[in-house]
Amino acid sequence: MNTSSLDTVMFCLQFIKDNFDEASQRTMCRTWLKTATDTIQKENLGSGDFVINELKDIDQYLSGASTSMTSVDVLTKLDTIFKLL
């Protein structure tokens, strides 16, 4: 992944990590989540499919579609993604 794309994804993920608990920031988190997903899809990343699936799970949590995920699950997924990148 090139440096610019990596910086973009890292910013997006850090914003989500810092703000996903705030109801007023959920829409913005979902916007940055889409940006991160789109950026990863454009890059040739070996673990890209796994990362995108993790991001989709986080989006389900943010949208309220997933009732089984908790905030701890979101943090765990984000930490995993940070390590893979």
Side-chain angles (χ1 to χ4, degrees), residues 1 3 7 13 25-26 28 30 44 52 69 71 84:
M1 181 178 295
T3 304
D7 289 346
L13 296 176
Q25 294 294 323
R26 292 257 169 118
M28 198 67 225
R30 292 187 76 204
N44 185 15
I52 289 170
M69 275 186 64
S71 60
L84 290 173

Side-chain angles (χ1 to χ4, degrees), residues 2-67:
N2 71 51
T3 304
S4 177
S5 294
L6 181 59
D7 289 346
T8 299
V9 170
M10 295 303 258
F11 171 82
C12 295
L13 296 176
Q14 190 62 51
F15 182 91
I16 295 164
K17 186 174 184 176
D18 293 342
N19 295 287
F20 78 93
D21 280 338
E22 301 294 328
S24 64
Q25 294 294 323
R26 292 257 169 118
T27 300
M28 198 67 225
C29 285
R30 292 187 76 204
T31 299
W32 286 121
L33 190 65
K34 176 146 178 43
T35 301
T37 302
D38 291 346
T39 302
I40 292 168
Q41 284 177 334
K42 291 177 187 173
E43 295 291 325
N44 185 15
L45 184 64
S47 58
D49 290 339
F50 176 77
V51 171
I52 289 170
N53 283 334
E54 295 292 279
L55 293 174
K56 287 179 182 178
D57 288 346
I58 294 169
D59 187 55
Q60 292 290 311
Y61 172 82
L62 293 173
S63 70
S66 174
T67 57

Side-chain angles (χ1 to χ4, degrees), residues 10 13-14 17 77-85:
M10 295 303 258
L13 296 176
Q14 190 62 51
K17 186 174 184 176
K77 288 179 181 295
L78 287 170
D79 287 341
T80 301
I81 293 167
F82 277 120
K83 288 176 185 171
L84 290 173
L85 298 176

